[in-house]
Amino acid sequence: MARYTGPMTKKSRRLGVDLVGGDAAYERRPYPPGQHGRGRIKESEYLLQLREKQKARYTYGVLEKQFHNYYTEASRRPGKTGDNLLQLLECRLDNVVYRAGFARTRRHARQLVTHGHFKVNGKKVDIPSYQVSAHDVIDVREKSLEMTPFIVARETHGERHVPAWLEALPNRMRILVHSVPVRAQIDIPVQEQLIVEYYSKK
């Protein structure tokens, strides 16, 4: 699956939010890039909606077509479309690995999943967009346990906050998915209603 591989700091500055988490370069210059970055631009309703969509898209590392597919699926499900959309994005396997503290960033988590280091309910899964469900058990494969990223993850695990819908067992390098997250448990600075409005006009 294709993905954006360009500089994330530039995207963070353009959208006004740290998309990586702990991006020192963004913290030094948290204004838009370019010659007129510090100037004020007129913010139309469309621009605000587009910006929220782009924030969510780059945060989770999803390309436009795939993101639109998530929106379509979210709109089919009962309940609020915006909540469903964020729930689908949060339940991606690469995001769960990141949230559990087994990877430094979502990009890093995606790479670890793609390289086949994880099993879900005993079966190897190397698809970052794989949707985890309540009561799934995610393990690092035995062959991978002594690789540097997982040794570091075990040693630094106490530094990361793990959301309540997940449980991380660093000694066993296991993640338990207790439930799918509700909106209140998803802490990304995105106004999902603006994303719904953006797509509803198309």
Side-chain angles (χ1 to χ4, degrees):
M1 175 61 70
R3 67 198 189 282
Y4 174 75
T5 57
M8 288 301 289
T9 298
K10 184 178 278 189
K11 294 296 179 188
S12 295
R13 291 176 64 196
R14 171 63 56 209
L15 298 169
V17 63
D18 183 357
L19 297 169
V20 179
D23 186 346
Y26 170 75
E27 288 169 14
R28 280 198 303 274
R29 295 185 293 177
Y31 47 84
Q35 183 179 357
H36 305 291
R38 293 180 195 252
R40 295 179 67 183
I41 55 171
K42 189 177 180 183
E43 297 191 334
S44 66
E45 185 182 28
Y46 175 79
L47 176 62
L48 293 173
Q49 293 165 355
L50 176 64
R51 186 181 291 163
E52 290 305 301
K53 191 259 296 181
Q54 297 293 66
K55 271 188 207 174
R57 204 162 72 69
Y58 285 113
T59 295
Y60 290 100
V62 178
L63 290 184
E64 181 59 45
K65 185 176 179 182
Q66 192 178 13
F67 193 85
H68 187 265
N69 290 342
Y70 279 126
Y71 173 80
T72 303
E73 174 60 27
S75 63
R76 283 200 203 107
R77 297 187 174 194
K80 288 185 178 178
T81 299
D83 292 1
N84 293 342
L85 175 62
L86 292 183
Q87 190 180 80
L88 285 166
L89 292 165
E90 278 290 303
C91 287
R92 286 172 55 96
L93 178 58
D94 58 355
N95 182 72
V96 169
V97 168
Y98 165 72
R99 290 287 195 194
F102 288 8
R104 299 184 310 275
T105 62
R106 286 185 180 87
R107 272 189 176 184
H108 184 219
R110 183 191 186 108
Q111 184 183 53
L112 293 175
V113 172
T114 304
H115 289 179
H117 296 306
F118 290 92
K119 296 187 296 184
V120 179
N121 303 327
K123 292 184 179 179
K124 177 184 166 185
V125 177
D126 57 7
I127 301 165
S129 60
Y130 177 90
Q131 285 284 304
V132 304
S133 306
H135 313 304
D136 278 354
V137 178
I138 302 159
D139 290 298
V140 175
R141 296 177 70 203
E142 284 184 27
K143 291 179 181 177
S144 307
L145 285 171
E146 296 310 313
M147 289 180 59
T148 302
F150 299 116
I151 293 172
V152 170
R154 283 197 292 275
E155 291 174 350
T156 61
H157 196 268
E159 300 169 12
R160 289 282 292 277
H161 168 72
V162 179
W165 58 283
L166 296 175
E167 183 179 351
L169 306 173
N171 294 336
R172 299 174 68 180
M173 291 308 283
R174 170 173 283 185
I175 305 165
L176 305 177
V177 183
H178 292 310
S179 62
V180 294
V182 296
R183 178 63 184 99
Q185 295 172 310
I186 302 173
D187 64 338
I188 69 163
V190 166
Q191 298 177 58
E192 63 277 8
Q193 187 53 39
L194 291 178
I195 302 173
V196 175
E197 290 170 10
Y198 172 85
Y199 280 117
S200 66
K201 290 177 181 177
K202 289 194 168 292

